[in-house]
Amino acid sequence: MSAAAILLAAGLGTRMKSRLPKALHPLAGRPMLNHLIAACEGVFDRIVVVVGPDMPALERAAAPHVTVVQAERLGTGHAALQAAPLLADFPGDVAVLYADNPLISTATLERLRAARAEAGLALLAMRPADPAKYGRVLRDAAGDVTRIVEFADASEAERQVGLCNAGVLCAPAADLFRWLRAVRNDNRAGEYYLPDVVPLAVEDGKRVVAVEAPEAELRGINSRAELAAAEAEVQTRLRRAAMDAGATLIQPESVVLAHDTRLGQDVTVGPNVVFGPGVTVEDDVEIRAFSHLEGCVVRSGAIIGPFARLRPGTEVGARAHVGNFVELKATRLGEGAKANHLTYLGDASVGAGSNIGAGTITCNYDGFGKFRTEIGSGVFVGSHTTLVAPIRLGDGAFTAAGSTLTRDVAPDAMAFGRARPTEKPGMAAAFRAARRPEPSPETPPAPPKEKA
């Protein structure tokens, strides 16, 4: 049977105290909404995202999935109903989920769908360590759900129930939209609440069941503190997956991974390494402490760091070395090439086996445009060389230390781009004397002042 998902993402996130829509706050380098979309894409045939007015960034994040605007924020039931025109003739089930519950797994959503096949309505529930003010899921002697009571409306006995509503539910499309249209707003907030479809389903004689899942998957994110707790959960999952796949994390709790970080087998990652989005690391790579990688590829056997930065568009070749305090941006470092310390290579290519000396920089930006530096194979770039792009160094070329080069260097040539040193005898002493006269040796030191 086909199934669709409605993702509610219209919330402003007032408690976040942010101009950014709540659903766009990132976890492991990806917006919360996109975490949920990724889980849903493996389970649902269609996805509709409900956004608020004037949220173009959220609509872009949802693409290619269709969005619909909730012009007035009148509650979760009202938000879900905005998707009805897009799913009016949908023949299968429809699930409603929240963008601020981004950690739900595909496996849990599959269990939700399976439970719906055996009942008229299925919902997700959890047993949090601190039930706090969650709505309680009430069940009859047979274990079927009878209703959901909000904490504020619950009796003392009902508040002792440990099973709490996670807000996610699934039902046949026709039934769900009929129940949503029947939901009333006679509550203190004057809003239409999604959980109110549960008693309507029961009144229709439908069996309602609860599917339990871990709190770590179903917790909502409504504040910066809750976002940080969710980030910690995501990082724990990502680190475990990386180690299960054959990577060594020397101090796992200090390593930050992105949602799409790819680490090969026998990769070793030192403490305090940060991976931004878009990083692929092949087998047998060592990434040393305090390095930062984003949008780059590191080929087999390379060594990175410590204290290295690889920026987007960078590719480090097999067995190449990027050392301490070296930054690469949109640069290809060839197989076996080395940039071992204190270097910036931007918009550059470096051929196989070349050596980049300490303090070398490529001057790739003139204030208006970016220009490339091309360094051939087997090139030796002396320490503290400045390469003013656009420039090309041919295969086998040498540059003298301290050179500033503005023109191409032919293959196997040696380039000098520095002024001849000039020595002026005695000038240092005269320079000091002119600025800080030294006392004469015959002049006795002044006696210390007497204290009053």
Side-chain angles (χ1 to χ4, degrees), residues 396-421:
F398 269 54
T399 75
S403 294
T404 296
L405 302 177
T406 60
R407 294 187 298 181
D408 292 354
V409 179
D412 294 318
M414 180 174 287
F416 296 81
R418 59 192 182 193
R420 291 182 179 276

Side-chain angles (χ1 to χ4, degrees), residues 190-397:
E191 294 187 350
Y192 301 89
Y193 292 135
L194 181 63
D196 287 349
V197 304
V198 172
L200 295 173
V202 173
E203 288 176 14
D204 272 3
K206 304 292 185 181
R207 180 170 173 246
V208 181
V209 296
V211 176
E212 292 192 41
E215 179 187 7
E217 285 192 32
L218 302 183
R219 72 173 87 202
I221 299 175
N222 296 295
S223 67
R224 303 280 186 164
E226 290 172 349
L227 183 68
E231 179 72 38
E233 173 63 27
V234 171
Q235 290 298 327
T236 297
R237 294 184 191 180
L238 293 171
R239 293 164 188 151
R240 185 183 302 118
M243 291 185 285
D244 288 346
T248 294
L249 309 185
I250 293 175
Q251 193 179 71
E253 68 277 9
S254 72
V255 175
V256 177
L257 300 169
H259 67 98
D260 59 352
T261 302
R262 299 288 178 264
L263 302 181
Q265 292 184 346
D266 295 313
V267 168
T268 300
V269 181
N272 298 291
V273 172
V274 176
F275 294 91
V279 176
T280 297
V281 179
E282 295 184 347
D283 298 345
D284 302 307
V285 168
E286 181 181 0
I287 302 176
R288 294 172 176 169
F290 292 98
S291 294
H292 190 290
L293 296 81
E294 180 179 3
C296 62
V297 176
V298 182
R299 301 298 180 189
S300 298
I303 298 174
I304 308 298
F307 295 97
R309 185 181 182 195
L310 305 186
R311 292 171 58 190
T314 289
E315 179 181 346
V316 177
R319 297 178 300 282
H321 291 188
V322 178
N324 46 290
F325 304 105
V326 174
E327 178 180 354
L328 274 62
K329 192 274 293 186
T331 289
R332 186 186 184 282
L333 191 66
E335 182 176 348
K338 297 179 181 180
N340 277 329
H341 26 235
L342 303 165
T343 290
Y344 170 69
L345 299 174
D347 297 292
S349 62
V350 179
S354 290
N355 185 87
I356 309 300
T360 295
I361 62 170
T362 58
C363 301
N364 57 321
Y365 182 53
D366 66 356
F368 299 93
K370 298 290 181 71
F371 301 91
R372 291 198 62 79
T373 296
E374 297 182 16
I375 299 172
S377 299
V379 173
F380 182 89
V381 178
S383 296
H384 200 64
T385 294
T386 299
L387 300 171
V388 182
I391 190 171
R392 178 181 178 83
L393 277 59
D395 295 346

Side-chain angles (χ1 to χ4, degrees), residues 124-139:
L124 292 182
M126 60 181 172
R127 296 183 183 275
D130 179 11
K133 296 187 178 182
Y134 285 107
R136 301 308 200 260
V137 178
L138 305 182
R139 298 186 290 184

Side-chain angles (χ1 to χ4, degrees), residues 74-164:
L74 300 178
T76 53
H78 176 263
L81 197 56
Q82 305 312 298
L86 299 175
L87 298 169
D89 300 318
F90 190 73
D93 289 345
V94 173
V96 183
L97 304 98
Y98 297 84
D100 59 5
N101 286 92
L103 303 186
I104 299 175
S105 69
T106 295
T108 293
L109 294 176
E110 289 172 342
R111 290 198 296 124
L112 177 70
R113 284 200 61 190
R116 211 305 294 160
E118 303 297 327
L121 185 149
L123 57 86
L124 292 182
M126 60 181 172
R127 296 183 183 275
D130 179 11
K133 296 187 178 182
Y134 285 107
R136 301 308 200 260
V137 178
L138 305 182
R139 298 186 290 184
D140 60 19
D144 293 340
V145 177
T146 56
R147 67 190 179 103
I148 296 171
V149 59
E150 295 302 323
F151 179 87
D153 301 322
S155 66
E156 279 303 317
E158 290 168 339
R159 290 180 179 181
Q160 299 309 306
V161 173
L163 191 62
C164 296

